[in-house]
């Protein structure tokens, strides 16, 4: 008979993991945090590396979005200036002229 490995339900959600990592940052030792929540130290360090890796990804994404936002603002300003110039030129032309 062949048994298949079944993935278990996650014991902690992302908010709980963040809370556990913050508890360590507040000064509680890794061993104490792991004992309190029933996790292994390798699990704790894996969570920590994933958390810090995501921070870097978020920072890069935020920077890229800010750069894109600046470009879009510049394009909008140029477009509005062009529309205002055309509107002003149209207002100056005589109405009876073809």
């Amino acid at each position: 008979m062949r048994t298949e490995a079944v993935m278990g339900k996650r014991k902690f959600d992302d908010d709980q993991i963040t809370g556990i990592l913050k508890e360590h940052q507040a000064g509680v030792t890794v061993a104490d945090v792991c004992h309190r929540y029933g996790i292994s130290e390798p699990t704790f360090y894996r969570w920590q590396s994933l958390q810090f890796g995501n921070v870097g990804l978020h920072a890069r994404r935020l920077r890229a979005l800010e750069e894109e936002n600046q470009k879009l603002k510049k394009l909008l300003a140029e477009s509005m200036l062009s529309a205002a110039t055309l509107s002003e030129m149209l207002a100056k032309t005589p109405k009876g002229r073809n």
Side-chain angles (χ1 to χ4, degrees), residues 1-91:
M1 179 175 183
R2 184 177 161 191
T3 60
E4 294 184 28
V6 177
M7 293 281 296
K9 183 181 147 206
R10 284 180 60 179
K11 189 173 179 180
F12 299 99
D13 64 18
D14 292 339
D15 292 334
Q16 291 171 324
I17 291 171
T18 301
I20 292 169
L21 295 174
K22 285 183 179 179
E23 192 173 324
H24 168 65
Q25 289 174 345
V28 181
T29 65
V30 173
D32 288 341
V33 170
C34 291
H35 179 73
R36 179 177 299 142
Y37 294 101
I39 58 173
S40 67
E41 288 189 23
T43 297
F44 176 86
Y45 288 116
R46 182 170 35 88
W47 289 350
Q48 195 174 44
S49 69
L50 290 174
Q51 181 95 5
F52 289 128
N54 286 338
V55 169
L57 290 175
H58 292 305
R60 279 193 298 261
R61 179 71 179 139
L62 178 61
R63 203 168 321 126
L65 287 172
E66 287 173 345
E67 288 174 7
E68 182 180 7
N69 193 28
Q70 287 299 96
K71 289 177 185 176
L72 291 172
K73 283 181 179 181
K74 183 178 178 184
L75 285 172
L76 178 61
E78 290 172 355
S79 176
M80 290 175 69
L81 180 62
S82 177
T85 303
L86 289 173
S87 180
E88 188 177 305
M89 289 173 60
L90 184 61

